[in-house]
Amino acid sequence: MVSSPSMENIESAPSHLEKTISIYPADNLSPPRQILFVGTLCTAMFTNQIGLGNTLTTVSLIGASYNISSPGQLSWLIAGYSLTVGTFILVGGRLGDEFGHKRLFVIGMMWYALWSLVAGLAVFSSHVLFVFARVLQGMGPALTLPNGLALLGGSYAPGPRKNMAVAWFGGAAPFGAIAGFLFGGLFAMVWWPWIYWSQAIALAGVAAFAAWTIPKPLVQGRKEEKRTLGNLFKALDVPGGITGVTALVLFNFAWNQAVVVTWKQPYVYVCLILGILFAIAFFLIEIYWAEFPLLPLSAFNSDIAFVFACTATGWACFGIWVFYIGQVALDISHTTPIQMAAWYLPVIPVGLISALAVGKLFGRIPASWIMVVGQVAYTTGSILAALRPAESIYWTYFFFSVLIITVGMDTSFPAATIIFSNAVARKYQGMGASVVMTIVNYSISLGLGFAGTLETNINKGGTTEEDRLDGYRGGLWLSVGLAGLGLVLSLIFVGKEQLQKRQKA
């Protein structure tokens, strides 16, 4: 069992040791205990990606059981999950800052397990319940992701150990994605509800294991303050949370619902406009009113803004790529879900190597160059996917597209997380981690909304395979455009850095 240093030992330790132990407890754990600690927290990223992967390759099969074939309705089975993850991560991180990251991590796993169970039971109801369960599933990772990262960021001193811990966290993503593809396909061969029932069983086990293995943090929120209702209202930034969540939900709902009902429906425009207005209100609250803002704008600088912009375009590209390259293979080439899982296997070694390389190289190579590498990978991989002939064999376009785009995914996330984690105060690690994960997951969901709108305007109703393929390719070319935009932004920033160095010289 992993345990934190006892208070008696801390009190009897020399002053310099007391300071080290009280501030960065994980640095004092033995290597086996550190492995167990980091591994447990990495399940947050692992299970988040399972929730995405187990539905990506089986979405058509699940839709068929509900007599659904519309691209817009099918995209909601995936986008609804990512929407909730991206929307509530900021709130999840703040709750962890106030009530304890370990507590929220365990609660998040339990919540995720509950709604995974309901998603499977939705087979006896309708697709409305299934989508509802998928949306509420996303609130589980919205709690586990920022609080898992906050536990990592607050338990290690800035330096190689912390960088590698965060890199391992990011490196868990490809393992989770492949596990989702594999077990989603396997259970779909029996009965698709078992995809989610098995997930619920595993998540309940993880929750119990995490409660046992994660040491009790030595710093638990702002306990020195009297917890009156007014203090809690300010500490949680309730007005900012309400306006921010409302803005994210309305804006994303407008883009994804437009795929289903088109932009001809007035309520779609109303939701979009209201989303923008609520976003403006959110930023005004964060800048001028909030005493403890959800979004730490004071910690932002040009470096962080650049990293976030590249992360948003890159992960939107990735979300579109992984959905539409799969749709071409499943719907047009008639590949089975199990074959798709095998086709994505290179994600594991390439993703792990990329994430760990960033952990080693960060500090030696400027973050701007790391992000350039990621954007080049996103652009190249998505171009290969868009150009791929539907009848081509695996070992050509698809294989190399998977290899290359994985580098982009697993370099951008660790770099962005490490930069922001080092930029904010230790007691707000949950907040910093929340911003990164919000951008990642919200970009995936919003990108699918953009691509779905483009697809439905190209595929002429999708009545033939040729028309559907045209729609899928339209989505893939949008991913190329987003990646290209990120590449341009990253190159501009590199040029800016070089100009500043010359001026100083």
Side-chain angles (χ1 to χ4, degrees):
M1 177 178 176
V2 180
S3 60
S4 57
S6 66
M7 294 308 297
E8 292 80 8
N9 290 338
I10 292 177
E11 290 173 359
S12 61
S15 59
H16 67 280
L17 182 59
E18 177 183 345
K19 183 178 180 181
T20 302
I21 292 175
S22 63
I23 296 179
Y24 302 112
D27 284 335
N28 302 282
L29 297 176
S30 65
R33 288 184 174 185
Q34 289 193 44
I35 291 172
L36 193 60
F37 172 64
V38 174
T40 301
L41 297 179
C42 285
T43 60
M45 178 61 82
F46 182 85
T47 56
N48 174 53
Q49 291 299 312
I50 282 181
L52 188 63
N54 63 12
T55 307
L56 272 170
T57 55
T58 57
V59 63
S60 297
L61 178 65
I62 296 170
S65 70
Y66 293 118
N67 296 316
I68 294 173
S69 58
S70 164
Q73 289 180 303
L74 289 177
S75 69
W76 262 118
L77 305 187
I78 300 167
Y81 172 80
S82 292
L83 165 63
T84 315
V85 177
T87 299
F88 287 94
I89 278 181
L90 280 171
V91 177
R94 173 49 58 85
L95 289 172
D97 286 335
E98 293 301 319
F99 300 109
H101 299 299
K102 176 183 176 179
R103 182 179 293 113
L104 269 294
F105 185 92
V106 173
I107 290 173
M109 285 293 179
M110 294 171 62
W111 178 275
Y112 196 3
L114 171 64
W115 288 101
S116 295
L117 175 65
V118 175
L121 292 173
V123 70
F124 302 111
S125 181
S126 67
H127 79 281
V128 175
L129 177 60
F130 180 78
V131 172
F132 184 73
R134 285 286 290 167
V135 168
L136 289 180
Q137 261 190 310
M139 294 186 69
L143 294 175
T144 61
L145 286 169
N147 289 293
L149 272 172
L151 285 165
L152 283 179
S155 299
Y156 285 100
R161 282 187 180 181
K162 178 177 178 179
N163 293 347
M164 289 305 299
V166 174
W168 275 108
F169 191 94
F175 287 93
I178 292 300
F181 297 149
L182 178 61
F183 288 106
L186 285 173
F187 284 115
M189 293 174 65
V190 182
W191 194 25
W192 71 258
W194 273 107
I195 298 172
Y196 303 98
W197 292 337
S198 63
Q199 185 180 13
I201 295 169
L203 289 166
V206 171
F209 191 70
W212 175 61
T213 57
I214 300 175
K216 182 179 180 181
L218 297 177
V219 177
Q220 287 277 5
R222 284 183 282 274
K223 287 190 174 181
E224 69 276 6
E225 295 181 4
K226 185 178 179 181
R227 284 199 179 279
T228 65
L229 186 61
N231 286 340
L232 194 60
F233 186 86
K234 291 180 181 180
L236 293 177
D237 186 16
V238 174
I242 292 174
T243 54
V245 167
T246 304
L248 291 172
V249 169
L250 288 174
F251 191 79
N252 197 298
F253 175 82
W255 279 100
N256 280 284
Q257 188 64 11
V259 182
V260 181
V261 300
T262 75
W263 286 96
K264 296 178 182 179
Q265 297 295 326
Y267 76 85
V268 176
Y269 286 103
V270 171
C271 288
L272 182 64
I273 294 170
L274 286 175
I276 294 172
L277 292 176
F278 272 101
I280 294 172
F282 169 74
F283 281 106
L284 291 175
I285 289 171
E286 298 303 280
I287 295 171
Y288 297 108
W289 187 86
E291 189 174 343
F292 303 104
L294 281 175
L295 197 62
L297 296 175
S298 60
F300 280 27
N301 54 38
S302 60
D303 288 5
I304 291 176
F306 142 75
V307 170
F308 284 177
C310 292
T311 301
T313 56
W315 279 86
C317 163
F318 172 78
I320 296 170
W321 171 85
V322 74
F323 179 71
Y324 282 101
I325 196 174
Q327 286 298 97
V328 172
L330 292 166
D331 185 29
I332 308 301
S333 304
H334 305 292
T335 307
T336 67
I338 292 297
Q339 285 178 303
M340 286 297 298
W343 283 15
Y344 282 117
L345 277 176
V347 167
I348 292 179
V350 176
L352 187 59
I353 292 171
S354 300
L356 296 181
V358 171
K360 286 289 187 182
L361 295 175
F362 189 82
R364 303 176 186 177
I365 298 177
S368 57
W369 283 108
I370 293 177
M371 296 302 290
V372 167
V373 170
Q375 296 303 319
V376 169
Y378 278 129
T379 305
T380 306
S382 56
I383 288 175
L384 287 172
L387 292 174
R388 175 181 177 260
E391 67 279 3
S392 65
I393 64 172
Y394 168 69
W395 297 104
T396 53
Y397 292 85
F398 200 107
F399 174 70
F400 288 104
S401 180
V402 170
L403 284 182
I404 295 170
I405 210 164
T406 302
V407 175
M409 176 179 65
D410 285 295
T411 54
S412 63
F413 174 77
T417 303
I418 292 169
I419 290 170
F420 204 93
S421 180
N422 291 339
V424 298
R426 178 174 175 262
K427 64 180 179 179
Y428 295 126
Q429 287 293 317
M431 184 194 303
S434 300
V435 177
V436 178
M437 295 308 306
T438 295
I439 292 172
V440 167
N441 288 278
Y442 194 78
S443 298
I444 291 174
S445 182
L446 194 59
L448 285 171
F450 292 159
T453 299
L454 183 61
E455 176 194 355
T456 54
N457 281 276
I458 292 176
N459 67 4
K460 301 175 184 177
T463 55
T464 66
E465 279 195 357
E466 183 179 357
D467 289 339
R468 293 199 300 275
L469 180 59
D470 287 340
Y472 299 153
R473 290 202 189 284
L476 287 169
W477 280 113
L478 176 61
S479 72
V480 174
L482 289 169
L485 174 60
L487 178 58
V488 170
L489 291 173
S490 65
L491 290 173
I492 290 174
F493 188 80
V494 168
K496 174 188 171 185
E497 281 190 334
Q498 295 300 317
L499 182 61
Q500 289 176 339
K501 288 181 181 179
R502 290 181 182 178
Q503 290 175 343
K504 291 179 179 178

